[in-house]
Amino acid sequence: MINDKKVQPLLEVEGLTVSFSRYDRGWNKTDLEVIHSLDVTVNAGEILAVVGSSGSGKSLLAHCILGILPGNAKVSGEMAYKGKPLTEKRQKKLRGHEIAFIPQSVDFLDPLMKVGAQVKGVRGTDEKMREAFQRYGLDEKTAELYPFQLSGGMARRILISTAVMEEPELIVADEPTPGLDLAMAMETLNHFRELADKGCGVLLITHDIDLALNIADRIAVFYGGTTVEICPAADFKAGKDALRHPYSKAFLDALPQNDFKPISGTQPYAGRLPKGCLFADRCPRRTAECGGEILMRDVRGGKVRCVHGD
């Protein structure tokens, strides 16, 4: 059950499972499970950075929170916002207001509407739009352009401007920095930090782990559609010996500053998941215990889904 502690997280996701109905070669309808027993929380006033390889479920989590999955999706588990179930009705009410979304794809912009109208939305003002444009290096005349007239970096900045117009209480940012130069990427993340310091919660999905470490409070590591570790950002800065899960350690080793050290194998395909630990086939610490049910547990101020995590 979603916890009922006195200090209630802003967003709670517990035991989330997402599958998609599809037809195989024989026209038999099957369900492809792509997220499995995923757990994550975001507190008011913090930035939780979500990292992991492509295909690990990061963007699907964002779409699930916003309630924008396609019609063939099946969702189970629990999601709560401010301690109350995040139902479809609440998602529609909160989306774009209390909960802001910065999508990964700039195709989310309406191609038939000028970007100024999209940034202002229903309750935005010209003054707030000008403030956002100034912060993100956009000329006021940009408001009169259509999305096809924008560069990739400009479109990215428009999406970010749209999300911060109504002073949301939760921002779900899915890869907000690609296409931005380093200075603008850091400006964006520093803005998230300012909003978090004022009480906003930020779920930051990113591949730019080095940039995220400058502003994040905690890091959630995804692998194969589930959470394998959640820890203070300081543990990533301290090095792999401070981490708990073998995949988290391998992920850190694979970063550019660590010479891209690889490990053999690949992330398991959603349609052929192994029993037990999803990382076991690639793990140097694998034992027979890894074939059983693996639950998240508390270790050294963090959480880890591993029987050997220490």
Side-chain angles (χ1 to χ4, degrees):
M1 293 292 291
I2 294 294
N3 75 68
D4 57 354
K5 294 180 180 179
K6 291 183 179 179
V7 180
Q8 190 79 43
L10 184 64
L11 173 72
E12 299 170 89
V13 177
E14 185 175 297
L16 181 68
T17 297
V18 178
S19 61
F20 292 97
S21 297
R22 63 172 191 165
Y23 290 92
D24 62 21
R25 293 179 181 177
W27 295 101
N28 296 312
K29 194 172 184 179
T30 61
D31 290 335
L32 182 67
E33 190 174 287
V34 290
I35 287 182
H36 338 278
S37 302
L38 188 149
D39 302 316
V40 75
T41 62
V42 180
N43 299 308
E46 82 159 352
I47 298 176
L48 175 75
V50 177
V51 303
S53 59
S54 298
S56 59
K58 303 186 297 298
S59 293
L60 283 175
L61 169 64
H63 291 196
C64 195
I65 293 168
L66 274 294
I68 56 174
L69 291 172
N72 66 329
K74 296 181 181 180
V75 180
S76 62
E78 297 183 80
M79 293 191 297
Y81 175 73
K82 292 184 176 179
K84 297 180 181 180
L86 194 54
T87 61
E88 182 179 353
K89 183 178 180 180
R90 286 193 81 204
Q91 287 171 324
K92 289 181 179 179
K93 180 181 178 181
L94 297 169
R95 188 169 59 225
H97 302 293
E98 280 194 39
I99 301 179
F101 180 43
I102 302 175
Q104 184 177 28
S105 174
V106 297
D107 290 340
F108 273 75
L109 290 170
D110 187 336
L112 303 179
M113 183 184 293
K114 291 180 179 180
V115 297
Q118 298 188 56
V119 170
K120 285 191 293 185
V122 177
R123 294 184 289 188
T125 64
D126 288 332
E127 182 181 0
K128 283 189 174 181
M129 183 182 70
R130 284 193 294 269
E131 290 175 359
F133 278 18
Q134 183 177 12
R135 177 144 201 172
Y136 290 105
L138 294 165
D139 190 282
E140 287 186 29
K141 295 179 181 178
T142 305
E144 295 301 313
L145 300 179
Y146 288 92
F148 78 90
Q149 296 174 297
L150 305 175
S151 68
M154 290 172 69
R156 181 72 57 193
R157 285 176 278 163
I158 289 292
L159 287 172
I160 297 167
S161 298
T162 302
V164 300
M165 283 292 287
E166 293 203 25
E167 299 180 357
E169 297 193 38
L170 174 66
I171 294 176
V172 179
D174 187 2
E175 296 287 358
T177 55
L180 303 181
D181 61 35
L182 180 59
M184 186 54 64
M186 281 308 307
E187 174 65 24
T188 300
L189 297 184
N190 285 333
H191 193 185
F192 291 164
R193 183 68 264 170
E194 290 175 20
L195 293 170
D197 290 342
K198 293 178 182 178
C200 179
V202 180
L203 177 68
L204 173 63
I205 297 168
T206 183
H207 281 102
D208 290 333
I209 181 65
D210 289 334
L211 296 184
L213 286 175
N214 290 300
I215 51 92
D217 297 289
R218 293 187 298 144
I219 306 290
V221 183
F222 284 12
Y223 182 81
T226 195
T227 323
V228 296
E229 182 168 355
I230 302 175
C231 66
D235 290 353
F236 262 80
K237 293 179 182 178
K240 67 178 185 179
D241 290 341
L243 300 177
R244 299 149 190 80
H245 198 282
Y247 174 69
S248 302
K249 298 173 186 284
F251 179 85
L252 196 60
D253 269 346
L255 295 178
Q257 64 267 33
N258 296 321
D259 299 324
F260 298 103
K261 296 173 185 173
I263 58 173
S264 61
T266 59
Q267 185 172 247
Y269 170 59
R272 294 190 295 272
L273 293 177
K275 293 182 179 180
C277 176
L278 300 180
F279 187 64
D281 287 347
R282 309 174 71 187
C283 183
R285 303 185 66 181
R286 179 182 181 179
T287 64
E289 295 177 89
C290 302
E293 183 179 13
I294 313 294
L295 302 175
M296 289 287 280
R297 58 192 182 91
D298 296 327
V299 175
R300 292 190 290 107
K303 293 180 177 293
V304 63
R305 192 184 302 275
C306 178
V307 295
H308 303 297
D310 50 24

